[in-house]
Amino acid sequence: MLRPEQMSKVSVAGSKRVMSDAIETMHQLNLVHITDYDGSWDGFEPGDSLEGADETSSKLVTVRALANSLDLDGDEVNTDAAVDLTNADEQLEEIRTQVNDLDDRQDNLEDRRREIDEQLDQMELFADLGLDLDLLWGYDSLDVVVGEGDGEAIAESLEAAEHIAAFDVFTGDESNSVAVFGYSEDDADDDLDDALVGVPFTAYEVPEVDGDPQSNVADLQEERKQVEAELEKIDNELESIKINSGNFLLALEEELTIEAQKTEAPLRFATTDHSFIVEGWIPTEKVEALRQTFDSKVGDQLEVSEIKRAKYTDASGHSEEEVHEEEAATDGGQPIADEDDSEPEVMADGGKSDGDLVTVEDDPPVVQQNSKLVNPFEILTRAVNQPKYSEFDPTITLFLTFPLFFGFMIGDVGYGLLYVFIGYAVYRKFDSKALSDFGAVVVWLGLLTTLFGFLYGEILGLHFIEQMGMEPVLKKGIDSTAWAITWLLVSVVAGWLHLNLGYIFNFVEEWTIHGAKPAVVEVGSWLLMLNGLWVFIFSDLFSGAKPGFLVGSEALFATGPLGFGFEGFPAIAGIVGLALFALGIVIIITGPWYEVVEFLVPLAHTLSYTRLAAVLLAKAGMALAVNLLYFGAYRDSEGFHFMHTYEPGYTPKHGEVVFGGLANMGSTFPLGPFQLGLEGAILGLPVYLIGHAVVLAIGGTAAIQAVRLEYFEFFEKFYEGGGKKYEPFGHERTHTSD
């Protein structure tokens, strides 16, 4: 689980006469993650596409364009129906013609609808002026402009214009529409426009039509309805094509995609005039199956070799184990020569056939190895980045700690079951792997929340265990300082252990990749500082200066709610802890000395885990507020109590009412063991439900706090990411069969 699946690099070489057969076999296997040839070998060039590649690509573009025009979605068509692709070209051309014709009609109608909308806007402005349209155009010596503006400002500007002999301004009743008529003595066409310069005014083109603007508005509105009807008809026709031909298009797209992959595959190969070599990565356990399949499909005309078996001991992925045929290399990763140490075979066309040499150095892709139970949590790992081949995969640690942190913080049976229901609904409803994995993660969060809810004895913030006359195993501490501080200490210890795990992962990685010295200097120093510091903090050394709840006879880990007799490490352990902390600083100075400025990281990052207890108390407080608002409460010498049984005017014998509660208002009625106010119980119910819905939603932010601890405190210690996803050459058919 911590390591990805081991990968081997294989090469397939042979004559170009069998290249098509090799491509077909490789595609059907869907196993080889091809390494693209970069042209680095003398005598070898990237290959050319196979015959028919251009035609296939052209058809694929057409099919995808049609699918886009139809807004085609595999979920909306009957993908189980049989599809006949024998006359695919004729069917495709028929569909293309129909869809293109409908698209052209649709575009023309949409253009006309936009024109109508623009004309309606202007025509409504003309109608507001109360003038017939034929009065606004067609004059020989009279200038007319119509638009929107300030009628008074326009009149003042025309009055001041010397070249305007006469004018009249008409304004609309309900808008700022304006019609300006003007006559100039010199009969210039632009005199009226010049007079309006500097005045806020937007001119519109006047249509050369007759009649009442209102009638034109009615005509345009009627035409718009007709256009809308035609557009709706076209939409229905497109939907019909989508339903009838959607499955065919999806099947054809898949078939063409596969064909395009095959015909364009040689672009990724190293080729000469007569031969080819293709390299790629494959799970090591599948190498023999690859050989056998090529032997049975193509025969001995191909040379299939395992040329590298990737190790987990190099940060760049280039420290791999070279293999020759089935024997592993033992020389540190250099190519193994034949027993006679002969020169590489020279082909007829001059190219060298080094079947056991690597043409392109690249990192192996990553196939994460997690069980079905853990697999959904890979979505959280990949949210940071794909693991590198040389890194530990932290998914299993996320599975073990993330739901635990979340459940500890929320800890409520009611909320937990709601999270389970929400997560399961997402898991079942969506086909997307990302969404279904997210749903599965939420289910796990809900399960741990429910488990802690039973331990805390809470359901929607109510202490149901106490109502049954029993004591819960744990308490959240909202009404107990001892419990609250205990959870702070537990959070610190959890952080201490969690960070140790992260540093140990990093230590192992550094040791296996770079050796003992870098591991000790760059990681071991931080392990010494982390553990030395916290051993000192939990020791009796200088106990008088430390809080009493931490060490000593009154320490909460000794006599508190979870007390197990731990009064602190002895003073000598504290001295050793300080010495280890100082030693860690000295070791850092001998290596990456600049990191010494972060010597308080072991303290700060561990204290960051106290957010677990903080969210625990905050969420409990929010649920308490909602229940207090609805049920009311009183406090007596024994503590705080919700008033499930209450009558108006009731006063506790040895306490006081904190708040009467919405449910206790109005005339009372019995509900099982409860005595509730009829009106208040009903009217307050929406407040109760909405309040808990808000708490449920805000409680979900606990996931953010838990993820933050995983990503920023834990991952930072050992995880970088940046690996390459395993993408084998092939295609998983969903709409066609082979």
Side-chain angles (χ1 to χ4, degrees):
M1 288 186 179
L2 289 174
R3 288 297 192 184
E5 189 168 350
Q6 188 176 34
M7 304 296 288
S8 291
K9 196 165 195 180
V10 298
S11 72
V12 179
S15 168
K16 278 190 173 181
R17 293 192 305 271
V18 294
M19 185 166 66
S20 295
D21 295 335
I23 292 172
E24 182 68 33
T25 302
M26 194 182 304
H27 193 277
Q28 289 180 359
L29 283 169
N30 197 18
L31 284 177
V32 182
H33 179 104
I34 294 178
T35 298
D36 293 342
Y37 176 61
D38 61 3
S40 57
W41 263 27
D42 292 338
F44 286 83
E45 298 293 336
D48 298 322
S49 301
L50 298 180
E51 184 179 354
D54 292 340
E55 182 182 357
T56 299
S57 297
S58 178
K59 289 181 183 178
L60 186 57
V61 169
T62 299
V63 172
R64 288 175 175 170
L66 290 174
N68 183 63
S69 296
L70 295 172
D71 193 21
L72 192 57
D73 186 348
D75 295 334
E76 299 177 1
V77 298
N78 180 18
T79 55
D80 294 330
V83 179
D84 183 8
L85 296 179
T86 54
N87 59 340
D89 290 347
E90 292 79 1
Q91 292 186 64
L92 179 61
E93 180 60 25
E94 181 180 350
I95 296 170
R96 187 193 67 80
T97 301
Q98 292 176 349
V99 172
N100 287 349
D101 289 345
L102 291 172
D103 280 344
D104 291 342
R105 286 172 55 196
Q106 189 176 54
D107 291 341
N108 292 334
L109 288 169
E110 288 176 346
D111 290 342
R112 179 53 187 158
R113 183 172 58 183
R114 283 190 292 269
E115 292 174 0
I116 292 173
D117 289 340
E118 293 174 1
Q119 292 175 11
L120 277 172
D121 290 340
Q122 295 184 12
M123 200 60 67
E124 289 170 353
L125 182 144
F126 298 151
D128 189 40
L129 292 170
L131 300 174
D132 288 345
L133 293 173
D134 55 354
L135 298 177
L136 301 177
W137 61 278
Y139 298 100
D140 294 331
S141 59
L142 191 64
D143 292 335
V144 183
V145 291
V146 182
E148 294 181 277
D150 187 340
E152 293 183 2
I154 291 173
E156 291 176 2
S157 178
L158 293 174
E159 185 71 34
E162 297 180 355
H163 54 280
I164 300 297
F167 69 89
D168 203 351
V169 178
F170 294 85
T171 58
D173 296 330
E174 300 178 0
S175 65
N176 59 348
S177 56
V178 179
V180 181
F181 295 81
Y183 169 74
S184 59
E185 295 180 347
D186 56 4
D187 199 23
D189 291 338
D190 55 356
D191 284 346
L192 190 58
D193 293 331
D194 292 342
L196 296 178
V197 173
V199 180
F201 179 75
T202 301
Y204 294 133
E205 183 179 355
V206 179
E208 295 185 0
V209 295
D210 298 332
D212 179 15
Q214 290 287 4
S215 299
N216 281 272
V217 168
D219 292 341
L220 288 171
Q221 290 175 339
E222 181 61 29
E223 184 181 358
R224 195 182 191 284
K225 290 181 181 179
Q226 295 176 0
V227 171
E228 289 284 358
E230 285 294 319
L231 286 172
E232 183 177 356
K233 182 179 177 182
I234 290 175
D235 286 339
N236 291 335
E237 292 182 35
L238 289 172
E239 186 66 22
S240 177
I241 295 175
K242 178 179 178 179
I243 294 173
N244 295 328
S245 303
N247 198 24
F248 165 77
L249 290 174
L250 290 173
L252 183 58
E253 180 187 17
E254 183 170 86
E255 195 65 35
L256 291 171
T257 298
I258 292 171
E259 190 64 26
Q261 289 176 344
K262 295 176 184 177
T263 56
E264 294 173 2
L267 297 173
R268 311 171 70 181
F269 296 0
T271 65
T272 65
D273 291 341
H274 304 288
S275 64
F276 76 94
I277 298 176
V278 56
E279 293 178 355
W281 294 96
I282 181 175
T284 300
E285 63 179 18
K286 303 290 181 63
V287 171
E288 190 57 35
L290 179 76
R291 282 198 182 102
Q292 292 177 1
T293 302
F294 271 108
D295 286 344
S296 62
K297 297 280 187 178
V298 186
D300 58 1
Q301 301 179 74
L302 288 176
E303 179 69 23
V304 180
S305 302
E306 181 185 11
I307 53 178
K308 280 187 177 182
R309 189 167 294 172
K311 295 181 180 179
Y312 305 118
T313 57
D314 184 83
S316 65
H318 290 313
S319 178
E320 290 104 356
E321 182 181 3
E322 300 287 350
V323 297
H324 182 274
E325 293 300 327
E326 298 181 358
E327 296 182 3
T330 58
D331 60 356
Q334 296 302 314
I336 294 179
D338 294 330
E339 292 182 2
D340 61 357
D341 200 24
S342 60
E343 291 294 323
E345 177 187 355
V346 179
M347 291 186 173
D349 57 9
K352 292 183 178 181
S353 174
D354 291 301
D356 297 304
L357 295 180
V358 177
T359 60
V360 178
E361 291 284 357
D362 65 334
D363 296 336
V366 174
V367 181
Q368 293 172 263
Q369 291 193 104
N370 292 299
S371 65
K372 291 183 178 180
L373 206 62
V374 178
N375 185 268
F377 286 80
E378 290 181 2
I379 188 176
L380 297 178
T381 301
R382 288 194 293 268
V384 175
N385 216 325
Q386 183 85 6
K388 288 182 179 178
Y389 188 79
S390 59
E391 287 182 320
F392 285 117
D393 180 358
T395 304
I396 181 63
T397 62
L398 284 172
F399 170 74
L400 295 174
T401 58
F402 177 54
L404 184 67
F405 290 160
F406 184 89
F408 168 77
M409 288 186 283
I410 304 300
D412 188 288
V413 175
Y415 296 141
L417 293 177
L418 286 171
Y419 286 133
V420 170
F421 174 78
I422 293 171
Y424 185 73
V426 173
Y427 175 79
R428 295 288 296 178
K429 181 176 178 61
F430 296 98
D431 293 331
S432 166
K433 178 170 171 42
L435 287 175
S436 63
D437 285 350
F438 172 76
V441 170
V442 174
V443 169
W444 276 107
L445 299 183
L447 291 174
L448 268 294
T449 299
T450 303
L451 174 61
F452 273 97
F454 280 109
L455 296 176
Y456 293 131
E458 285 195 12
I459 180 168
L460 297 180
L462 298 174
H463 301 159
F464 69 92
I465 293 293
E466 294 180 359
Q467 294 293 326
M468 298 167 62
M470 298 183 292
E471 282 293 315
V473 178
L474 306 173
K475 290 186 178 181
K476 290 187 175 179
I478 195 170
D479 58 349
S480 170
T481 303
W483 273 105
I485 297 177
T486 296
W487 291 134
L488 285 172
L489 293 176
V490 168
S491 299
V492 167
V493 173
W496 183 6
L497 297 175
H498 202 218
L499 295 180
N500 261 292
L501 182 61
Y503 279 125
I504 290 171
F505 282 165
N506 196 13
F507 186 84
V508 174
E509 288 178 356
E510 287 292 326
W511 185 289
T512 56
I513 295 173
H514 300 117
K517 182 178 179 181
V520 172
V521 173
E522 297 183 19
V523 187
S525 55
W526 291 104
L527 272 169
L528 292 174
M529 292 168 66
L530 173 68
N531 291 288
L533 177 63
W534 284 101
V535 166
F536 160 71
I537 291 174
F538 280 99
S539 73
D540 288 337
L541 187 64
F542 307 130
S543 59
K546 297 176 182 178
F549 62 78
L550 194 62
V551 294
S553 59
E554 297 181 359
L556 289 176
F557 279 162
T559 60
L562 294 179
F564 49 90
F566 178 75
E567 297 182 4
F569 297 111
I572 186 64
I575 295 173
V576 172
L578 285 178
L580 292 176
F581 182 75
L583 177 61
I585 293 178
V586 172
I587 293 175
I588 286 180
I589 293 175
T590 65
W593 59 267
Y594 49 85
E595 291 186 4
V596 76
V597 297
E598 299 180 347
F599 70 98
L600 288 179
V601 162
L603 174 65
H605 282 195
T606 306
L607 290 177
S608 184
Y609 283 77
T610 57
R611 71 185 65 240
L612 296 174
V615 174
L616 168 72
L617 295 171
K619 179 266 159 192
M622 289 187 292
L624 169 65
V626 174
N627 290 329
L628 176 63
L629 184 62
Y630 186 72
F631 292 108
Y634 69 91
R635 183 184 298 273
D636 60 16
S637 59
E638 296 180 357
F640 171 90
H641 308 277
F642 286 119
M643 294 193 295
H644 302 304
T645 301
Y646 175 75
E647 295 180 2
Y650 167 77
T651 302
K653 294 180 180 180
H654 305 288
E656 60 179 350
V657 174
V658 179
F659 177 66
L662 297 175
N664 300 313
M665 296 180 179
S667 56
T668 62
F669 77 101
L671 181 62
F674 304 140
Q675 192 78 11
L676 303 177
L678 177 60
E679 295 86 351
I682 296 174
L683 295 177
L685 188 59
V687 175
Y688 181 77
L689 295 177
I690 293 173
H692 278 296
V694 171
V695 176
L696 181 74
I698 295 177
T701 60
I704 297 176
Q705 300 299 333
V707 164
R708 186 203 179 283
L709 293 175
E710 300 284 1
Y711 287 171
F712 291 95
E713 270 71 34
F714 182 61
F715 275 28
E716 183 189 75
K717 304 301 179 288
F718 71 99
Y719 186 73
E720 181 179 347
K724 183 166 53 177
K725 185 178 179 181
Y726 175 60
E727 295 178 338
F729 176 66
H731 189 90
E732 293 289 342
R733 293 178 180 267
T734 56
H735 304 291
T736 60
S737 59
D738 190 0

